[in-house]
Amino acid sequence: MVDDKSFRDVLGRWVTGVAVITTVWKDQVHGMTANAVMSVSLKPPLILISIDEKASMLAKVRAANNFAVSILSSEQKALSQHFAGQRQSKETVDFDWFMGWPVIKNALAYIACKVHDARQAGDHVLFLGEVEHLWARPGRPLIFYQGRYHALQDMEDKK
């Protein structure tokens, strides 16, 4: 039997990037922090995001039928914490707009998608997003390992 703590501990040894998923619902931008983002296919270009079935973002992505992914830089830990509900401040987030999608200013990359498919998987819903637009800039990513944020100190972005 696999218990929740052991499962989280073992999978916490997998280094992930940190992103903010955004969408517009009822004329407002909504976002959530995610590290469950992955590429799925080149033809057509598809990515996958995973949203907990209890997350308020789930209904918003379903209703909007689209989402954007902002891959965060190492300087954007506070934004990640904000969208993860870890900061109780009333700070306002200024969004940029990329090809009609709301994105996080100064992120390392943007991926704008329309929902291609959605599937229930345990206590999450997996969304396949068909990539319509993308953009990237040089920089160091914010990463997550063993339940904590980190930055890659020895990495050089070649682009």
Side-chain angles (χ1 to χ4, degrees):
M1 185 75 169
V2 176
D3 64 272
D4 291 355
K5 184 181 177 335
S6 296
F7 186 74
R8 290 178 68 103
D9 183 52
V10 169
L11 289 176
R13 298 197 185 324
W14 179 251
V15 177
T16 65
V18 182
V20 171
I21 309 300
T22 51
T23 197
V24 176
W25 184 67
K26 293 190 176 181
D27 297 324
Q28 279 194 311
V29 177
H30 298 273
M32 65 168 255
T33 298
N35 64 352
V37 176
M38 65 179 274
S39 64
V40 174
S41 169
L42 288 174
K43 294 184 191 226
L46 299 172
I47 65 167
L48 181 139
I49 63 169
S50 177
I51 301 178
D52 189 305
E53 65 185 3
K54 294 183 215 120
S56 63
M57 190 69 169
L58 180 61
K60 295 167 176 82
V61 170
R62 277 190 170 139
N65 206 41
N66 63 55
F67 59 89
V69 176
S70 298
I71 299 173
L72 300 185
S73 76
S74 59
E75 296 86 30
Q76 294 179 305
K77 176 181 170 183
L79 280 167
S80 174
Q81 291 172 318
H82 171 82
F83 285 103
Q86 297 170 344
R87 295 172 67 101
Q88 300 304 317
S89 66
K90 301 289 184 200
E91 62 194 88
T92 303
V93 176
D94 289 327
F95 294 95
D96 269 348
W97 290 87
F98 171 68
M99 308 302 280
W101 275 267
V103 292
I104 301 298
K105 276 186 180 182
N106 300 316
L108 287 183
Y110 305 139
I111 308 167
C113 301
K114 67 179 178 183
V115 172
H116 179 77
D117 197 6
R119 300 274 184 211
Q120 186 77 34
D123 60 1
H124 280 63
V125 174
L126 306 178
F127 287 93
L128 280 177
E130 186 166 353
V131 177
E132 296 201 337
H133 305 284
L134 40 78
W135 171 89
R137 71 170 178 89
R140 290 191 169 106
L142 182 63
I143 60 174
F144 200 71
Y145 177 70
Q146 289 191 309
R148 295 184 20 223
Y149 292 98
H150 300 273
L152 296 176
Q153 302 304 324
D154 61 347
M155 188 184 100
E156 274 189 51
D157 192 335
K158 304 291 185 201
K159 282 193 167 189

